[in-house]
Amino acid sequence: MKTLLSHFRTATLALSAAGLFALQATAMPVVVPEQVQPVVLAASDCYAIGQQVAEQNGGTLAKASQSTRGGQPVCVIIILVPGKDGQRPRRSEIVVPLN
């Protein structure tokens, strides 16, 4: 029984070591084709634009996201404008070009 446990432990260690070596062998650099468009992080820009739009309209920013409309990148801004006389806030969607 003791030898069976010893063989099992040795086999487990050997398989673990082989797995580590296999992971290192597959970690090769990725070649990116030159036609790939660069990634533009515009979410923070849309958020900043949304903050400005909400401030101009006297509301609070609920959501700011980037979208494409008519082939142009735009920010879709959703603000909540306070209601009059204690009513619920109004939801207002404003589309702003992303420049």
Side-chain angles (χ1 to χ4, degrees), residues 30-88:
V30 177
V31 178
V32 179
E34 292 190 25
Q35 295 179 354
V36 174
Q37 297 288 334
V39 175
V40 177
L41 298 176
S44 62
D45 292 338
C46 284
Y47 185 79
I49 292 170
Q51 289 284 8
Q52 292 174 354
V53 170
E55 186 177 313
Q56 290 171 355
N57 291 310
T60 57
L61 178 63
K63 182 179 177 183
S65 60
Q66 182 181 0
S67 182
T68 303
R69 294 196 179 171
Q72 300 290 354
V74 296
C75 290
V76 179
I77 310 297
I78 298 176
I79 60 173
L80 298 175
V81 180
K84 296 178 183 171
D85 299 325
Q87 293 180 347
R88 292 179 49 192

Side-chain angles (χ1 to χ4, degrees), residues 7-8 10 12 17 20 22 24-25 29 31 38 50 59 69-70 74 91 94:
H7 290 303
F8 181 71
T10 305
T12 304
L20 288 175
Q24 289 179 351
V31 178
R69 294 196 179 171
V74 296
R91 180 182 181 271
I94 300 168

